Amino acid sequence: MTTTPIQRGHRAAGAASGLLAGAAGVLAGEGVSRLVDVTGPVVAVGNRAVDLTPRPLKEWAIATFGSADKAVLVGGVLVTLLVAVLVLGWVGARRRGVALLGMTALVGLAALAMVLDPAQGGGAPALVAAVLTMLVVGVGGLAWLLSALPVRVGRAQGLDRRRFLLATSSVVALGAAGAAARTVGGPSGSTSLDLPTAATPADPIPEGVSFDIDGLTPHVTPTPDFYRVDTALQVPSVDAASHVLRITGMVDRPLELTMQDLLSRDLVERRITLTCVSNEVGGDLLGNATWLGIPVRELLAEAGVQAGADAVRSVSVDGYTAGTPLEVLTDDREALLAVGMNGVPLPAEHGHPLRMVTPGLYGYVSATKWLTELEVTRFADFTAYWTDRGYAAKAPIKLSSRIDVPGSFAQLEAGEVTVAGVAWAQTVGIERVQVRADEGEWQDAELGAEDSDQTWRAWRWRWSAEPGSHRLEVRATDRAGTVQTSRREPIAPDGSTGWHNVTVSVS
Ligand SMILES: Nc1nc2c(c(=O)[nH]1)N[C@H]1C(S)=C(S)[C@@H](COP(=O)(O)O)O[C@H]1N2
Ligand SMILES: [Mo]
């Protein structure tokens, strides 16, 4: 049988129907999910996809897409869905039953992913509402659209235009309503929490902690500029009023603490520079904030840590886990369970209402956001999110330094040029920073006043720049006398090393 133009148009109308119904179904499902506060289909499927992806592929994706990996993942889910519903609609032009079955299967997959999502906060009725919406709009919409197409193409019978237009506009309207609900609706992580003042406020910032130099990183990072790194496709929205922290595992007295329990304690305020293991040499995945919180060691002492334990496994509401050495959480660095950041409750992206902040360790082993459980355990008995993906179980922050100004490839005028940046060796402290141009002699930079050994330290150096192209390099020495290594290491498995350099041109 040869294909006639009518048949081809018919197939195309089928494919368009699949696309319309599929898109509207997802949008409506997303909208209702937002309204009833459950993890929506796209994020749920994305999360499942991450979990089911073989490790080499995952590593390749992280290496290739870096911090855009989430956008790429969501894009991948959407493109796959698009292709699937196009094909379903195409098939459906001839075989309606097959298309409807296929669409039902897609909704079923999304429903399964939503039910299995570790961050799934909503109850059964909310989930049922979201899934029913997808069924009605996706499957029902497709059935309606396809019913406007004649089944037997052999007969010279065109599509039922009125019916097709009505179905199309209805499905589009439902999809649009879903999209609107998706953007406006929902309890968007209300971060209202009455923070008490600190029993132990942060020390005042010392005079001369930084320099007034354009482009030099400020000592305290304004919250909107604070880097964000996490695996959450959608920032968890946690209700502080009902949030509970559980302390479990190898303890004499397991604890369950509400936010009110935690806030009624003596709170400590301190500036701590957080650093991500994914920070490349010269990168900006670190920030310094004033954190308000409860010393972890006080809570662990109350729970009564049993002999033999050497780790704390922290768990986020979204299922993320990390392992931190017990000794680090009980020593004098005084790791915090933070409730406040820069004078206000933690913003949703930074872990509202409760997160860990541990001086001296990379965030992935020590700074769990949306914290819901601390399990006292042994390193030998568990693995965590990033250790499952090839990163080290123990990860102290490596001594490092960065040139903030001048920027790479800056065009400068000959004469005196200010070179400046920050250096960090949390819990050890920075003793010295040196700079050199074109591999000449190392020169001592001037250091800003030290805030504490838990924060970074500013430095500056005056350079008499002569015309030409020049390469500036920086290296730091910590309080223990260790000089920052020039050896270039990648971020995996436990943090990058090497000297940061910038090339500038002077005229
Ligand atoms: N729940 C959860 N907590 C998390 C992460 C995460 O993916 N999920 N990422 C960690 C990593 S790798 C870092 S570097 C810090 C970053 O904290 P920030 O986003 O507030 O800067 O959070 C840590 N806490
Ligand atoms: Mo990180």
Side-chain angles (χ1 to χ4, degrees):
M1 197 173 104
T2 50
T3 324
T4 66
I6 289 185
Q7 279 172 299
R8 255 182 268 121
H10 186 75
R11 286 288 208 184
S17 303
L19 194 62
L20 262 181
V26 169
L27 285 173
E30 283 290 326
V32 171
S33 296
R34 173 57 64 94
L35 291 177
V36 299
D37 203 17
V38 297
T39 304
V42 176
V43 164
V45 169
N47 283 340
R48 286 285 93 189
V50 174
D51 290 349
L52 296 174
T53 306
R55 202 213 281 184
L57 183 58
K58 203 149 21 194
E59 273 159 14
W60 173 83
I62 292 169
T64 310
F65 303 119
S67 51
D69 57 351
K70 279 175 224 157
V72 170
L73 178 64
V74 168
V77 169
L78 291 177
V79 168
T80 309
L81 175 81
L82 219 84
V83 172
V85 294
L86 265 173
V87 170
L88 279 179
W90 177 268
V91 171
R94 299 294 281 277
R95 309 186 60 181
R96 215 172 278 166
V98 174
L100 295 184
L101 214 67
M103 190 65 98
T104 310
L106 283 182
V107 174
L109 281 179
L112 191 66
M114 288 164 75
V115 170
L116 293 178
D117 199 76
Q120 194 53 271
L127 275 170
V128 168
V131 172
L132 270 184
T133 304
M134 289 191 287
L135 275 177
V136 169
V137 179
V139 181
L142 183 61
W144 194 7
L145 285 162
L146 291 180
S147 74
L149 309 180
V151 192
R152 264 172 301 158
V153 231
R155 280 203 250 149
Q157 176 193 355
L159 90 173
D160 182 340
R161 277 178 207 287
R162 272 194 59 160
R163 199 180 168 92
F164 195 71
L165 277 181
L166 182 63
T168 305
S169 44
S170 308
V171 169
V172 167
L174 284 171
R182 175 84 184 77
T183 43
V184 301
S188 54
S190 68
T191 52
S192 57
L193 194 67
D194 272 332
L195 290 187
T197 51
T200 313
D203 295 331
I205 298 176
E207 280 293 310
V209 82
S210 194
F211 307 102
D212 186 14
I213 298 170
D214 253 7
L216 173 62
T217 308
H219 183 59
V220 176
T221 313
T223 306
D225 301 339
F226 205 96
Y227 81 100
R228 174 189 162 202
V229 169
D230 54 59
T231 61
L233 287 177
Q234 179 181 304
V235 175
S237 115
V238 182
D239 178 21
S242 58
H243 188 67
V244 172
L245 170 72
R246 300 190 308 130
I247 301 186
T248 62
M250 299 171 69
V251 291
D252 295 331
R253 295 165 293 277
L255 298 179
E256 278 207 10
L257 302 159
T258 64
M259 290 307 296
Q260 282 321 310
D261 293 336
L262 291 168
L263 293 175
S264 64
R265 291 163 177 269
D266 283 350
L267 300 190
V268 173
E269 191 184 45
R270 217 159 61 237
R271 287 178 294 281
I272 299 167
T273 302
L274 215 64
T275 308
C276 183
V277 71
S278 303
N279 194 47
E280 303 278 3
V281 169
D284 56 6
L285 294 181
L286 73 164
N288 187 39
T290 306
W291 306 97
L292 176 71
I294 301 102
V296 185
R297 58 177 173 180
E298 290 179 9
L299 297 174
L300 290 176
E302 276 180 41
V305 172
Q306 294 172 350
D310 65 1
V312 171
R313 174 177 166 271
S314 51
V315 185
S316 160
V317 299
D318 66 354
Y320 175 88
T321 54
T324 314
L326 184 62
E327 69 189 25
V328 167
L329 296 180
T330 47
D331 71 14
D332 286 343
R333 78 187 68 199
E334 205 171 58
L336 299 179
L337 293 191
V339 293
M341 180 181 187
N342 291 337
V344 294
L346 289 175
E349 311 83 68
H350 295 293
H352 181 84
L354 189 68
R355 75 171 302 168
M356 295 172 69
V357 175
T358 310
L361 300 190
Y362 286 121
Y364 84 98
V365 289
S366 74
T368 301
K369 304 191 274 190
W370 314 291
L371 179 70
T372 183
E373 182 180 351
L374 294 176
E375 182 195 358
V376 178
T377 175
R378 279 186 287 245
F379 274 111
D381 293 344
F382 75 102
T383 55
Y385 187 90
W386 284 111
T387 53
D388 282 339
R389 288 157 178 80
Y391 281 79
K394 301 199 178 169
I397 297 170
K398 294 179 180 176
L399 164 64
S400 196
S401 53
R402 182 178 75 199
I403 299 171
D404 288 348
V405 278
S408 267
F409 308 116
Q411 310 269 342
L412 307 170
E413 281 183 16
E416 184 157 287
V417 165
T418 299
V419 182
V422 287
W424 59 94
Q426 291 93 322
T427 72
V428 182
I430 290 293
E431 172 79 35
R432 182 183 209 185
V433 171
Q434 294 167 300
V435 189
R436 67 177 183 180
D438 307 319
E439 307 198 0
E441 289 281 297
W442 285 106
Q443 313 275 323
D444 279 348
E446 179 191 351
L447 293 180
E450 182 174 62
D451 184 355
S452 83
D453 63 16
Q454 302 193 342
T455 64
W456 53 20
R457 198 159 178 189
W459 58 266
R460 73 173 163 187
W461 181 65
R462 289 192 213 284
W463 175 45
S464 314
E466 284 169 16
S469 171
H470 302 282
R471 204 164 87 112
L472 300 166
E473 283 174 294
V474 64
R475 73 173 188 195
T477 304
D478 71 16
R479 277 265 155 69
T482 307
V483 181
Q484 186 183 337
T485 178
S486 62
R487 197 159 20 87
R488 281 272 170 174
E489 297 276 12
I491 59 176
D494 62 358
S496 64
T497 62
W499 294 333
H500 184 211
N501 68 73
V502 299
T503 299
V504 298
S505 111
V506 180
S507 54

